[in-house]
Amino acid sequence: MAYPSMGEAHRRITDYLNKFCDTVSYQDVASLAQLFSFSSNSPSLLSLADALNFFQDANRLIKQSDKFSQFGEILAPLFRSLQSYRLGNLVEAYHAFEKFANAFIQEFRNWESAWALEALYVIAYEIRVLAERADRELSSNGKSPEKLKGAGSFLMKVFGVLAGKGPKRVGALYVTCQLFKIYFKLGTVHLCRSVIRSIETARIFDFEEFPRRDKVTYMYYTGRLEVFNENFPAADHKLSYALTHCNPLREANIRMILKYLIPVKLSLGILPKTCLLEKYNLLEYNDVVQALKRGDLRLLRHALQEHEDQFLRSGVYLVLEKLELQVYQRLVKKIYFIQKQKDPSKAHQLKLEVIVKALKWLEMDMDLDEVECIMTILIYKNLVKGYFAHKSKVVVLSKQDPFPKLNGKPVNS
């Protein structure tokens, strides 16, 4: 990096200080937010960082002016953070940024209006991203990564500031979404419960008053939590809300939602079209869908095995694995229709040995006892209506609706 002259460095630092004070004075939130956006790597911030690393006495410039010194507790650590960030010392950059963020929050408390919310959003985003990068630096040096956890603690303080009455409360959902990202990254999703409870039960909140961007993100993460808890109707509601209200031009975000919504829909007996899977590059679900259509247990197991790592990382493997019962139902249904064409009078009497033969044709080697057990489960879970004639090893199907549709309801557990 090329350092500026002493005079140029002094000018850049003074310009930044003046701009900061002016944006606060005129409540220019868009300009204020840009002053904190490290991750944008904007030329103006990088040139300021070079000036700070060359001049090395910015604190004197802050202290010698009443205009600047009133914001000294904010600006001094912000400058230290930017210096370290430019030099690639991300742990030091995080430490200083956290001090700056805490000082900004104290000032934000004193402002009666919510004019600076967008700037606070940038701080919430930057502290999370900077913490992630600092943790990678710590891990590469053989040290324990702990900064992301610290960023979570800071954001909980921010949430407390915003979650009261008044216009600032509209910012609570954005901070909540940043907390979700941290908790999912750390694998501490149980910590989501307290902020969810505050959002969903507090009377001061009207969910529809929040910005659409934040509502979509919130519903996406809470939908994922419902998938984790195997509450599929709730997951369907939340993820469908996120999909419906997502910006249609944000295809990457739509794909993220569908990655969880598709398994939920499958568990409810709703199959996506192939064109949808192709459009959003979700072809890992194609064989799963085809297995459900055909009643092909071999294909389902092959799909789960082929994409096992991907499904496990997403947390949907167990959801997809439980689709086996629907595949068995489809297979039995196909056998029923074939028999109905050959001999309608005996269509409702399915011999277990016929099901065993069908499974062997699919290279699924099961004996009569195993098939009887599967049929018992299907009847118990209301995927098949009928009863056993144990002596003759025959399933007698109901003549009315022998294969009930799920109709958007999960298989009974």
Side-chain angles (χ1 to χ4, degrees):
M1 64 187 74
Y3 286 119
S5 66
M6 183 66 74
E8 176 63 16
H10 184 281
R11 185 191 66 77
R12 290 180 189 177
I13 296 168
T14 304
D15 284 352
Y16 182 94
L17 291 170
N18 279 317
K19 190 171 184 179
F20 176 88
C21 293
D22 290 345
T23 56
V24 173
S25 177
Y26 293 107
Q27 298 188 355
D28 181 0
V29 66
S31 298
L32 183 63
Q34 290 175 2
L35 298 180
F36 306 149
S37 185
F38 284 21
S39 62
S40 67
N41 288 319
S42 68
S44 60
L45 280 178
L46 294 179
S47 65
L48 171 64
D50 292 340
L52 289 166
N53 281 317
F54 180 71
F55 192 74
Q56 292 291 330
D57 197 15
N59 282 348
R60 180 174 59 82
L61 293 180
I62 296 172
K63 291 176 181 178
Q64 71 184 13
S65 166
D66 291 340
K67 180 181 179 181
F68 305 150
S69 62
Q70 62 178 317
F71 299 114
E73 291 186 5
I74 294 175
L75 292 165
L78 178 63
F79 280 175
R80 288 199 303 275
S81 180
L82 188 56
Q83 286 177 276
S84 297
Y85 180 83
R86 183 60 164 154
L87 296 172
N89 299 326
L90 297 173
V91 174
E92 291 302 318
Y94 173 81
H95 283 152
F97 195 91
E98 189 176 43
K99 288 182 180 178
F100 145 72
N102 274 301
F104 184 88
I105 281 293
Q106 292 305 314
E107 192 70 23
F108 182 83
R109 286 177 186 268
N110 297 328
W111 295 331
E112 291 185 7
S113 73
W115 73 269
L117 268 179
E118 287 294 333
L120 190 63
Y121 293 164
V122 170
I123 292 172
Y125 173 82
E126 292 293 334
I127 200 168
R128 176 180 65 81
V129 172
L130 193 53
E132 289 179 2
R133 296 181 65 182
D135 277 351
R136 285 198 290 270
E137 181 182 299
L138 287 167
S139 295
S140 66
N141 293 328
K143 297 179 180 179
S144 175
E146 57 185 7
K147 303 309 172 192
L148 193 57
K149 185 178 178 180
S153 297
F154 167 76
L155 289 178
M156 277 302 298
K157 286 195 291 186
V158 178
F159 180 84
V161 170
L162 298 174
K165 295 180 180 179
K168 293 179 182 179
R169 70 178 184 271
V170 76
L173 202 63
Y174 181 87
V175 175
T176 296
C177 294
Q178 294 300 314
L179 281 166
F180 285 167
K181 292 177 182 181
I182 289 174
Y183 295 153
F184 273 82
K185 183 84 172 180
L186 293 174
T188 55
V189 295
H190 63 281
L191 296 176
C192 297
R193 293 173 187 163
S194 60
V195 284
I196 290 173
R197 196 177 301 117
S198 297
I199 294 293
E200 295 188 349
T201 63
R203 292 182 180 179
I204 57 171
F205 292 113
D206 178 1
F207 188 73
E208 291 306 319
E209 80 179 80
F210 294 112
R212 184 175 74 166
R213 168 199 65 187
D214 300 340
K215 289 188 291 187
V216 168
T217 305
Y218 179 83
M219 286 300 214
Y220 165 71
Y221 277 104
T222 53
R224 284 184 60 181
L225 283 171
E226 299 295 1
V227 174
F228 179 77
N229 294 325
E230 297 187 2
N231 187 355
F232 299 129
D236 181 33
H237 167 72
K238 291 175 182 291
L239 292 169
S240 294
Y241 181 101
L243 183 65
T244 302
H245 293 83
C246 186
N247 186 335
L249 299 178
R250 298 294 184 107
E251 291 196 2
N253 291 347
I254 291 173
R255 184 181 185 277
M256 287 172 61
I257 296 167
L258 287 172
K259 190 162 67 171
Y260 295 93
L261 183 56
I262 286 172
V264 168
K265 291 289 190 185
L266 292 175
S267 72
L268 300 175
I270 303 168
L271 278 57
K273 294 180 179 179
T274 303
C275 60
L276 181 75
L277 302 180
E278 292 174 347
K279 180 178 180 179
Y280 293 103
N281 191 26
L282 290 163
L283 294 175
E284 64 267 26
Y285 291 116
N286 191 51
D287 282 348
V288 176
V289 174
Q290 293 305 316
L292 282 164
K293 288 181 177 179
R294 299 175 193 170
D296 191 338
L297 186 63
R298 175 180 54 183
L299 182 60
L300 177 64
R301 291 183 177 177
H302 171 76
L304 291 177
Q305 184 176 6
E306 183 180 2
H307 302 289
E308 182 177 12
D309 290 344
Q310 196 172 353
F311 292 148
L312 284 171
R313 283 197 304 273
S314 300
V316 299
Y317 183 88
L318 293 177
V319 179
L320 298 172
E321 192 177 42
K322 290 183 178 181
L323 296 175
E324 279 199 3
L325 286 177
Q326 289 189 51
V327 175
Y328 281 121
Q329 183 209 44
R330 183 66 179 174
L331 176 62
V332 174
K333 191 175 182 179
K334 285 201 164 190
I335 295 170
Y336 163 75
F337 281 124
I338 292 171
Q339 284 197 175
K340 193 172 184 179
Q341 288 177 341
K342 290 182 177 180
D343 189 351
S345 65
K346 294 185 178 180
H348 290 81
Q349 298 179 19
L350 293 186
K351 293 183 179 180
L352 293 185
E353 63 183 33
V354 174
I355 302 173
V356 169
K357 287 179 181 178
L359 287 166
K360 283 185 177 179
W361 183 78
L362 292 170
E363 299 177 3
M364 297 286 111
D365 192 14
M366 296 185 187
D367 58 27
L368 284 172
D369 290 337
E370 288 174 299
V371 171
E372 183 174 344
C373 181
I374 291 166
M375 291 305 301
T376 301
I377 295 171
L378 291 176
I379 292 170
Y380 175 74
K381 293 185 177 291
N382 202 37
L383 287 168
V384 171
K385 281 186 180 179
Y387 63 91
F388 270 118
H390 289 281
K391 289 184 179 180
S392 55
K393 296 291 182 181
V394 169
V395 180
V396 181
L397 298 174
S398 170
K399 291 187 178 181
Q400 291 186 346
D401 193 21
F403 302 100
K405 292 182 179 180
L406 292 177
N407 291 325
K409 296 180 180 179
V411 176
N412 295 329
S413 57

